[in-house]
Amino acid sequence: MSYTPDRRGVRAFLDSSPELRAALHREAERLAQLARAVAPVETGRYRASIGVHAARSDDGRQVADVVADVEYAADVEYRHGSRRPLTTALITGSAG
């Protein structure tokens, strides 16, 4: 007996699964909460702009992006000479 995976079927399920969408959103929201907790605050606009956006990758997969969508977000994320954005520091555990 051999097993042949149904790659198209699995892909179709993952592309349309509401359970996967909810899990992605839940985990992205956890990361967004952490980003808001360690975000530098001058006016509060940057921190308030951090949120989760559901999207699709270039190849159609479900993704959830954590974004800060104020116009100066990149400047904040690369502040103090760091060449790594805040989100990279959060993922690697080196934020703060």
Side-chain angles (χ1 to χ4, degrees), residues 10 12 14 16 20 28-29 31 35 45-46 60 65-66 77 86 93 96:
V10 170
L14 293 176
S16 63
L20 177 60
E29 185 54 46
L31 184 56
R45 284 186 60 220
Y46 171 77
D65 295 326
V66 176
E77 292 167 3
L86 178 60

Side-chain angles (χ1 to χ4, degrees), residues 14-95:
L14 293 176
D15 287 348
S16 63
S17 168
E19 295 86 2
L20 177 60
R21 187 176 312 115
L24 287 169
H25 185 66
R26 186 172 49 252
E27 292 305 309
E29 185 54 46
R30 273 186 350 99
L31 184 56
Q33 287 175 358
L34 180 58
R36 286 188 291 270
V38 300
V41 178
E42 288 182 25
T43 67
R45 284 186 60 220
Y46 171 77
R47 181 176 56 193
S49 79
I50 297 171
V52 176
H53 295 203
R56 294 262 176 200
S57 67
D58 290 340
D59 65 354
R61 292 178 293 155
Q62 296 186 79
V63 296
D65 295 326
V66 176
V67 298
D69 58 9
V70 292
E71 64 277 1
Y72 54 86
D75 292 336
V76 172
E77 292 167 3
Y78 285 96
R79 186 177 295 168
H80 305 298
S82 171
R83 294 290 177 230
R84 297 178 345 150
L86 178 60
T87 51
T88 300
L90 290 169
I91 291 168
T92 62
S94 61

